[in-house]
Amino acid sequence: MIKKCLFPAAGYGTRFLPATKSMPKEMMPIVSKPLIEYGVEEALEAGMSDICIVTGRGKRALEDHFDVNYELEQQISGTSKEGLLDNIRQLIDQCTFSYTRQHEMKGLGHAIQTGKALVGDQPFGVVLADDLCINTEGHGVLSQMAQLYKQFRCSIIAVQEVPEDEVHKYGVIAGQAISDDIVRVEHMVEKPSKENAPSNLAIIGRYILTPDVFDLIADTEPGKGGEIQITDALMKQAQRGCVLAYKFKGKRFDCGSIDGFIEATNYCYDRQCIEQSV
Ligand code: G1P
């Protein structure tokens, strides 16, 4: 039912310099697949085949990745390498890709607002490709959230419990539990100190947003770090109506940090070895 998925991908990825000096951080591979490709697979599995990417300077490799490379395909055609492009080829066949550029880095809220031109007036998914989410036991995280959207028809944000001394890295929510894994959001704070955090439920980079969020972002003043924060806009939405936080099923790796990236790499490598040996 939700067709569009927005990928804010204009950020610099400074934690991975020099690797990200001329390469988009979303192209960093976990084993042999770029982070953004995992995200697009997850969106497609959730039925979102219109992929909308907010890019910036130095991000052209993203567009080339989601396009056919005839010369390369010709070169490896008939060799043992041919199958290595099957996955990306299927994504290209099944999805449409559109792009717009964020000219200034003014925060995640601003990046999402920039995507309005591509998304239009309909509910949409958001994937922050840095957060790699894998659920080997069933549906992917975005698909789980799309199911919830069908039921509740309001914005949904993915959350996960984190240790108290890590809350300052995340948007943090609190509210009324309406089931074991769903909380109706009443408070949201972007990157609070341990002392000011309303809970230890941290926002993870998966959202389903209703389009009224665009007007709310437009009215949002710069917040934490002088940036326009989606967390602040969603807090207004929560006050007006309904925003649900969902404790998803699956594993999440913070691939925006070196440690998380290495952990994800080891996990995916081990799984790939298991798959290949069965
Ligand atoms: C963004 C959001 C934050 C969220 C995080 C998840 O922060 O602003 O609320 O918890 O993504 O990864 P960033 O990590 O881009 O600074």
Side-chain angles (χ1 to χ4, degrees), residues 108 128 131 170-171 190-191 203-205 207 229 231 252:
L108 180 57
L128 308 185
D131 278 332
Y170 301 93
E190 180 66 12
K191 305 198 174 82
I203 302 170
I204 300 308
Y207 306 73
Q229 299 292 350
T231 305
R252 170 260 178 180

Side-chain angles (χ1 to χ4, degrees), residues 94-118:
Q94 292 175 42
C95 298
T96 60
F97 294 88
S98 44
Y99 303 87
T100 190
R101 276 198 184 205
Q102 187 185 8
H103 302 293
E104 291 170 280
M105 301 299 126
K106 291 199 208 159
L108 180 57
H110 181 257
I112 292 176
Q113 179 78 343
T114 305
K116 183 182 177 186
L118 303 176

Side-chain angles (χ1 to χ4, degrees), residues 118-132:
L118 303 176
V119 167
D121 191 25
Q122 55 187 298
F124 60 101
V126 176
V127 169
L128 308 185
D130 282 0
D131 278 332
L132 175 63

Side-chain angles (χ1 to χ4, degrees), residues 84-98:
L84 297 176
L85 290 177
D86 285 353
N87 191 64
I88 180 71
R89 195 67 208 235
Q90 277 177 22
L91 290 182
I92 295 169
D93 288 346
Q94 292 175 42
C95 298
T96 60
F97 294 88
S98 44

